Amino acid sequence: MSIRLRLALWYTAVLGGTLVIFSLLLYLLMLRHLIDEGDANIASRAQHIASTVRVETAAPSTVQRVELPPIDAFESPGIYVQVVQTNGTVVAHSDNLGGQELPGDERAFAVAHAGHGVFYTAIVAGEQVRVYVEPLVASGRVIGFVQVGRSHAEAYVVLDRLRLGLAGVGMVSLLLAGAIAWAVAGGALRPIASMTQTARAIALSRGFSRRLGVTTSRDELGQLSRTFNEMLASLEEAYATQQRFIADASHELRTPLTAVRANLELLDRQGADLPGSERQALITAATGEADRMARLVADLLSLARADAGQKLRMRPIELDRLLLEVYGDARLLAKGLTMAIREIDEASLLGDPDRLKQLILILVDNAIRYTPAGGEVGLSLRKDGATAVLEVSDTGIGISAQDMPHVFERFFRADRARARDAAGTGLGLAIAKWIIEEHGGDITVESELGKGSTFAVRLPLMSH
């Protein structure tokens, strides 16, 4: 069942329930009104008849003569009048009763004999009749009763018409409400149908550059369309990044593979005829390219784990000790360069020691690679409030202003860097940035072309 149909049915059901409650209350109020109006009518007639009865005293004085008004003058369609003595004997009745009598009620007569008017219900000719009994009083005593009855038939006719009217109005209202609800729900859900079609088209074509038509309304559908477009923009960027990553990775892997294959084919064809020094050179070259591929695959694996949201193993560590370890290893690699620790403070923080050591090695390795012989690489670690600041500086080739915004992008390598070191993968700084961000820090770089660069890493210290 569609949402549109469910909304229309719910709206119609709620309206139907409201109409049923309203109709029931109106019917009960009308029933009460008709009963009260009828009771007031017959009570008024009975009291009027009782007030017009005349009692005359004749000789002897104990004999009284009762003179009744014309009973038929008080009758009307559905209204019956009857006068009875206290013993129940009918003295007079209206012509519309024919040969019938209004049935008496002993309890009602007992109440009336006490001087009070009273209502009761009787059956006359198969119809319910509401009867009012009014006592006839002469000389301080009750000498009889006036009974005025009213048939319920007229009230039932009115109530039947009311029921039919309410039912008809209710049905028309429900049909009209259902049609309006169907139309309104369709109009409200039309943007969702458009979103669904667009999303399906995007899924089939992978055309993440497409966008939904954003409405100017500030309702939920407008917010949904804007949010959906933001998601499409994010997907478009991620998809484009993935495509570039795959293309760059393929290119970077193809180069060493081509070199290894060429060296091995040359060894296979002419290895026996080549001097030993040339064979060794070919083997060394193939080994170097294989090592480069191994580093590239390791870097790609690190980035894949970063993209998968891999969490680091955090524990308290001493960053100054890690820096000294890296410094000791780097001195063996920095041939022809001067390595120096300019400043070092004790700094404890919560982090992954393996990843932090990898971070420092990446920065130091870059400094060594792009600093010519006779240059200097400097390390420093200091505290700045609640932050540890790690700096790696060099006097190398530097980075141009146009390349500066791209140095942390994957596979980015400036032309001067490519010319100086073909063995780099272009992934080191991207990995370094991921490690820093996972530790809640940030990295900045200052560089001047031909004079060197300084990378500054800021990491939060462990609170005591």
Side-chain angles (χ1 to χ4, degrees):
M1 185 183 296
S2 66
I3 295 179
R4 183 182 185 183
L5 180 57
R6 287 204 299 268
L7 288 174
L9 290 178
W10 269 107
Y11 179 79
T12 306
V14 171
L15 180 61
T18 304
L19 287 176
V20 167
I21 295 173
F22 172 77
S23 300
L24 182 60
L25 290 175
L26 181 60
Y27 182 84
L28 293 176
L29 288 173
M30 181 60 72
L31 176 62
R32 185 73 261 169
H33 171 72
L34 292 175
I35 291 175
D36 291 344
E37 183 184 40
D39 287 351
N41 189 355
I42 61 177
S44 176
R45 292 189 185 218
Q47 292 166 3
H48 183 60
I49 294 171
S51 67
T52 58
V53 171
R54 290 190 303 167
V55 180
E56 296 180 354
T57 303
S61 59
T62 55
V63 177
Q64 291 178 324
R65 183 177 172 216
V66 178
E67 184 178 344
L68 297 174
I71 297 300
D72 292 334
F74 295 95
E75 75 173 36
S76 62
I79 302 293
Y80 309 105
V81 181
Q82 181 173 279
V83 179
V84 298
Q85 296 178 345
T86 54
N87 60 5
T89 302
V90 177
V91 176
H93 62 73
S94 57
D95 290 340
N96 60 2
L97 277 172
Q100 302 182 78
E101 298 177 354
L102 286 175
D105 185 274
E106 293 182 2
R107 293 183 179 179
F109 286 161
V111 174
H113 201 280
H116 305 290
V118 65
F119 291 96
Y120 69 92
T121 302
I123 303 296
V124 177
E127 293 182 352
Q128 280 191 342
V129 177
R130 183 76 165 168
V131 182
Y132 181 78
V133 181
E134 177 71 18
L136 284 172
V137 181
S139 301
R141 65 187 182 88
V142 177
I143 60 173
F145 308 104
V146 178
Q147 294 173 280
V148 179
R150 179 172 181 167
S151 173
H152 284 169
E154 184 179 349
Y156 288 152
V157 170
V158 174
L159 291 174
D160 287 342
R161 290 176 180 173
L162 179 61
R163 279 198 301 269
L164 289 175
L166 290 174
V169 172
M171 291 298 296
V172 173
S173 299
L174 287 178
L175 291 175
L176 184 60
I180 293 174
W182 177 264
V184 171
L189 295 175
R190 192 172 294 115
I192 295 181
S194 175
M195 293 179 193
T196 302
Q197 294 175 357
T198 304
R200 184 179 292 112
I202 292 173
L204 293 175
S205 64
R206 293 189 178 183
F208 298 116
S209 60
R210 294 185 59 178
R211 296 292 183 271
L212 297 177
V214 179
T215 62
T216 57
S217 62
R218 296 184 179 182
D219 57 11
E220 289 80 357
L221 291 178
Q223 294 176 6
L224 177 61
S225 62
R226 286 189 287 273
T227 303
F228 194 82
N229 283 340
E230 291 172 2
M231 182 190 69
L232 287 176
S234 177
L235 287 174
E236 181 183 15
E237 182 181 357
Y239 187 70
T241 301
Q242 182 190 47
Q243 295 301 309
R244 289 195 303 270
F245 182 80
I246 293 173
D248 291 342
S250 300
H251 174 75
E252 293 294 334
L253 284 171
R254 185 169 60 247
T255 301
L257 280 174
T258 301
V260 169
R261 182 176 180 179
N263 288 328
L264 292 179
E265 286 179 351
L266 183 59
L267 283 173
D268 182 56
R269 290 195 309 268
Q270 304 178 14
D273 301 327
L274 292 175
S277 59
E278 292 187 14
R279 288 199 304 270
Q280 185 60 41
L282 291 174
I283 294 173
T284 301
T287 302
E289 294 297 334
D291 290 341
R292 181 186 172 196
M293 277 194 297
R295 290 194 302 272
L296 180 59
V297 170
D299 289 345
L300 288 173
L301 180 60
S302 295
L303 289 174
R305 288 172 177 170
D307 292 338
Q310 183 187 46
K311 298 299 180 182
L312 303 184
R313 299 175 182 176
M314 302 292 194
R315 63 182 180 85
I317 60 169
E318 296 176 357
L319 189 59
D320 52 304
R321 288 182 177 271
L322 283 180
L323 182 61
L324 290 173
E325 290 180 11
V326 173
Y327 170 73
D329 297 335
R331 288 181 63 186
L332 302 177
L333 302 175
K335 296 178 180 178
L337 300 177
T338 301
M339 288 281 299
I341 295 181
R342 298 192 176 97
E343 178 183 7
I344 186 167
D345 293 338
E346 293 184 359
S348 298
L349 52 85
L350 198 64
D352 185 320
D354 294 333
R355 291 300 181 182
L356 287 175
K357 185 173 183 179
Q358 182 183 14
L359 161 66
I360 301 172
L361 282 170
I362 290 172
L363 297 178
V364 172
D365 182 65
N366 272 359
I368 293 174
R369 284 176 183 273
Y370 302 119
T371 300
E376 182 180 350
V377 174
L379 308 177
S380 69
L381 175 63
R382 56 186 173 81
K383 291 182 180 179
D384 183 10
T387 305
V389 182
L390 170 66
E391 291 185 351
V392 178
S393 59
D394 62 64
T395 57
I397 61 177
I399 305 169
S400 66
Q402 65 215 36
D403 291 335
M404 192 81 74
H406 307 288
V407 292
F408 295 105
E409 294 178 5
R410 298 177 183 185
F411 292 112
F412 177 80
R413 299 179 69 204
D415 292 337
R416 289 167 59 87
R418 290 180 183 273
R420 178 170 179 82
D421 180 23
T425 64
L427 296 175
L429 290 178
I431 295 173
K433 186 178 180 182
W434 165 66
I435 295 173
I436 294 167
E437 290 176 348
E438 287 295 306
H439 285 81
D442 62 77
I443 183 171
T444 57
V445 57
E446 295 178 358
S447 185
E448 187 176 349
L449 200 61
K451 293 187 177 181
S453 306
T454 298
F455 287 82
V457 178
R458 301 178 67 88
L459 297 171
L461 291 169
M462 187 170 59
S463 57
H464 297 283

